[in-house]
Structures are given as C-alpha cells and as structure tokens.
C-alpha cells in the first residue's frame, strides 16, 4: 500500500491500486489461456480523429496488451455512417474470438450513440452501458458495471473504508458515472443522495457526506469548506484548466486539509477506469467460455 501521509488526508494512490488490479487481470488471463485455451480479446472501436479519444484508446490497448488481453483495433473515419458502424458491431457480436466490445465515445453527430450502444451484445458490453446491464445493476444483480464507478468501489474496498450505514453523497447524475456510482454505494448499504445542477443547497448536502463523490466536470468546484472533517473524498472529474493543466472537480489543496482520504487528479480514479475495463473483459471471456 502506498498511501502518502499528508498534513490532512491520506492521498489514495489510484495508480498503485490499478497496478494491483492489472496484475490480477494478467494472472486471470494466463489462467484462462492455460485452463481453457482462451485468449481474452477486446475489440476497440474508434470513429473519427478526436485527439483525446485517440490517446484514451491507445492507452486502453496498451494496458490490455500488458495484461495478456488481445485487442482488435477498429479505427474508422469521421465520415463513417451509422449503417457502417452497425455492420461492424454486428460482426463483432457474432465473432466468437471477441469477448468484449468497447465503442469509444463521443461518436460523430451523424451517428446516434444510444442506438449503437444498445446494439453491442449485452454479453460483450464491457463498458456496462447496455440497458440490460444497467437494469441488472439497479436490481442489485450487477454483471457488467460501468468501469469508473466500479473502479471507485475497488479503491474503497482496497482501503477497507466502511460503507454500511454511512452517508454517501454523489454529485452528478450521468449514466456513465453518477447513477451507477449511487447504485453501487446503496448496494453496499450506504445511505445515498444524488446531487445535480438543480440541487438547492449543494455545499450543505456535501457537508453531510461521510463519502463524497464528485463527478461534475467543473474544475475545483467542490471547496474545502464543503467537506465534513474526516470524510472520504473521491474526485472523478478530469478537467483542463486555462493554463493547460489537469484538475479534478474538487479543490484538492483545500479539501485535503479536512478530508480523511482523498483521491488526486491525475493519479486517482483515472487509472482505475482502465483497470476495470480489463477486469470486465476477463469477466466476459470467463462467461463466454464457461
Ligand atoms: P456529465 O456532463 O454527463 O454529467 C455531469 C453531472 O454533473 C450532471 O449530472 C450534472 O447535473 C452535474 N452538474 C453539472 N453542473 C453542476 C453544478 N453546477 N452543480 C451540481 N451538479 C452539476 O459528465 P460525466 O460523464 O458524468 O463526467 C463527469 C466528470 O468526470 C468529467 O470531468 C469527466 O471528464 C470525468 N470522468 C472521468 C472519468 C475517469 O476515468 N476518471 C470517467 C468518466 C468521466
């Protein structure tokens, strides 16, 4: 464990926890190969040339390769039609060698994102975005869970942070982060509030939290005096500031003075997201070969 003790909070080392998850993934991949003759395989689909998306996709493919997961790289031009993409996804759904399918978002305007995500086989839905997997999660029967909230739960588990009976506040209600995050915390027996842009007294709600998760998309929005002393602060945000640096949704320097635990940006939740994508790919390969 590589916590760095500070004046205030323990800074949660997402890189180290992600490394531990990736080591386990590599062991699982080797076991699947030796016991079942299966090489887990992730198909990665990128449409267009958004520089951020290109970096994400390259990082995901590199991490997969390091863990012994094969990748199929499908990079399509920005002019790709929905019909072309539909054909590709159907062929990946039918391909028995492919266990997981990741469609990098955002997609270009001419393609309806919801249609495409619903086309991905729920059995290969390693991002956990298909309505069937979303429904299973909300029924308390999680199968493929969105990678970022799953990664946050892994961080909390790693530090043995108790959740049962504690108050958790999630700021943000996106389908990718906020909603699945709240569902997972509730299923771990926390009492959960979801806050959003219309919440009346956001600082007051935040101050009630033993566990505070910020998934807003606004740099340094959560201030130090919003933090209950000793709270666990999980910062999901990744924002570019005017000076080109990365910043989370939480004002880190202020919040660390009051928090018990805090995640930094970068080096917090971000590395966990990729690690959990790999873990979900192993799950898909295990289920397909069971
Ligand atoms: P989103 O834009 O879909 O959702 C943002 C949410 O924040 C919305 O539900 C909105 O109601 C809420 N919000 C916006 N303004 C608010 C305000 N003033 N007060 C209270 N709530 C407000 O974003 P998202 O996809 O959930 O991502 C959130 C952040 O997390 C972004 O910075 C994104 O880059 C980052 N992110 C990081 C990872 C990772 O791996 N670390 C993964 C996904 C997203």
């Amino acid at each position: 464990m590589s916590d760095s003790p500070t004046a205030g909070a323990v800074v949660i080392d997402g890189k180290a926890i992600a490394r531990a998850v990736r080591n386990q993934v590599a062991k699982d991949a080797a076991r699947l190969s030796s016991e079942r003759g299966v090489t887990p395989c992730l198909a990665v689909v990128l449409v267009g040339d958004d520089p951020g998306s290109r970096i994400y996709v390259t990082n995901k493919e590199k991490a997969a390769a390091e863990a012994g997961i094969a990748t199929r790289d499908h990079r399509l031009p920005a002019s790709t039609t929905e019909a072309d993409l539909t054909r590709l996804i159907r062929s990946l759904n039918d391909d028995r060698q492919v266990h997981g399918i990741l469609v990098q978002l955002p997609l270009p305007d001419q393609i309806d994102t919801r249609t495409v995500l619903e086309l991905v086989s729920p059995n290969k839905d390693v991002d956990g975005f298909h309505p069937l997997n979303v429904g299973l999660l909300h029924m308390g029967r999680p199968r493929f869970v969105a990678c970022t909230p799953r990664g946050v739960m892994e961080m909390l588990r790693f530090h043995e942070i108790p959740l049962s009976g504690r108050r958790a506040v999630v700021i943000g209600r996106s389908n990718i982060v906020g909603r699945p995050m709240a569902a997972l915390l509730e299923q771990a027996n926390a009492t959960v509030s979801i806050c959003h842009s219309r919440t009346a007294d956001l600082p007051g709600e935040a101050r009630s939290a033993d566990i505070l998760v910020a998934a807003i998309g606004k740099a340094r929005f959560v201030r130090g005096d919003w933090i209950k002393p000793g709270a666990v602060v999980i910062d999901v945000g990744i924002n570019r500031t005017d000076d080109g640096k990365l910043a989370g949704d939480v004002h880190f320097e202020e919040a660390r003075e009051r928090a018990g635990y805090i995640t930094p940006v970068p080096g917090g939740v971000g590395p966990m997201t990729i690690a959990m994508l790999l873990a979900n790919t192993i799950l898909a390969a295990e289920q397909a070969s069971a």
Side-chain angles (χ1 to χ4, degrees):
M1 199 148 71
S2 52
D3 298 340
S4 40
T6 65
V10 170
V11 178
I12 297 178
D13 186 344
K15 279 195 212 157
I17 305 171
R19 206 175 306 124
V21 172
R22 284 161 63 162
N23 286 343
Q24 183 59 48
V25 165
K27 283 185 196 150
D28 291 341
R31 179 179 44 77
L32 276 169
S33 170
S34 66
E35 289 178 7
R36 299 190 198 171
V38 168
T39 303
C41 175
L42 174 67
V44 179
V45 180
L46 172 63
V47 186
D49 41 24
D50 176 71
S53 293
R54 263 205 307 234
I55 294 170
Y56 284 138
V57 159
T58 303
N59 288 344
K60 288 169 184 175
E61 290 176 341
K62 201 165 143 247
E66 281 168 14
I69 293 175
T71 54
R72 298 271 188 86
D73 183 75
H74 294 274
R75 300 198 184 206
L76 309 177
S79 58
T80 300
T81 63
E82 192 173 302
D84 288 337
L85 185 56
T86 299
R87 257 191 301 280
L88 172 62
I89 304 240
R90 285 194 202 286
S91 76
L92 294 172
N93 282 346
D94 291 341
D95 187 335
R96 292 170 60 93
Q97 307 283 319
V98 171
H99 303 107
I101 302 171
L102 175 142
V103 181
Q104 183 65 42
L105 301 180
L107 291 168
D109 290 345
Q110 74 274 17
I111 298 176
D112 182 52
T113 302
R114 207 171 77 181
T115 304
V116 170
L117 294 183
E118 292 183 9
L119 198 66
V120 171
S121 163
N123 298 322
K124 300 189 178 188
D125 174 36
V126 286
D127 263 333
F129 294 162
H130 191 283
L132 180 73
N133 288 316
V134 173
L136 286 171
L137 168 64
H138 285 270
M139 292 168 76
R141 297 163 49 202
R143 187 172 53 173
F144 292 110
V145 175
C147 300
T148 302
R150 192 176 166 205
V152 170
M153 294 306 285
E154 186 61 29
M155 290 175 130
L156 297 172
R157 199 192 58 75
F158 186 90
H159 281 278
E160 299 178 350
I161 290 168
L163 298 173
S164 181
R166 301 184 83 199
R167 277 197 61 81
V169 172
V170 179
I171 312 178
R173 56 177 163 182
S174 72
N175 290 328
I176 293 175
V177 188
R179 287 189 174 128
M181 187 73 254
L184 290 170
L185 289 165
E186 175 263 310
Q187 283 164 32
N189 297 318
T191 301
V192 184
S193 300
I194 304 182
C195 297
H196 45 76
S197 52
R198 308 285 177 88
T199 295
D201 175 16
L202 193 57
E205 296 289 345
R207 270 181 219 116
S208 74
D210 301 309
I211 293 110
L212 179 66
V213 181
I216 310 162
K218 292 190 190 307
R220 303 192 183 111
F221 187 75
V222 175
R223 306 304 301 247
D225 64 354
W226 297 23
I227 310 295
K228 178 175 175 177
V232 178
V233 178
I234 304 289
D235 190 352
V236 178
I238 303 178
N239 309 288
R240 241 332 128 207
T241 57
D242 292 342
D243 54 5
K245 295 202 175 118
L246 282 186
D249 289 343
V250 177
H251 195 302
F252 181 80
E253 289 76 19
E254 289 179 6
R256 79 190 296 187
E257 297 297 323
R258 285 167 68 112
Y261 290 86
I262 190 167
T263 62
V265 178
V269 175
M272 295 303 295
T273 298
I274 294 189
M276 300 331 280
L277 170 71
L278 304 181
N280 276 348
T281 305
I282 295 290
L283 180 65
E286 267 169 359
Q287 290 183 350
S289 60

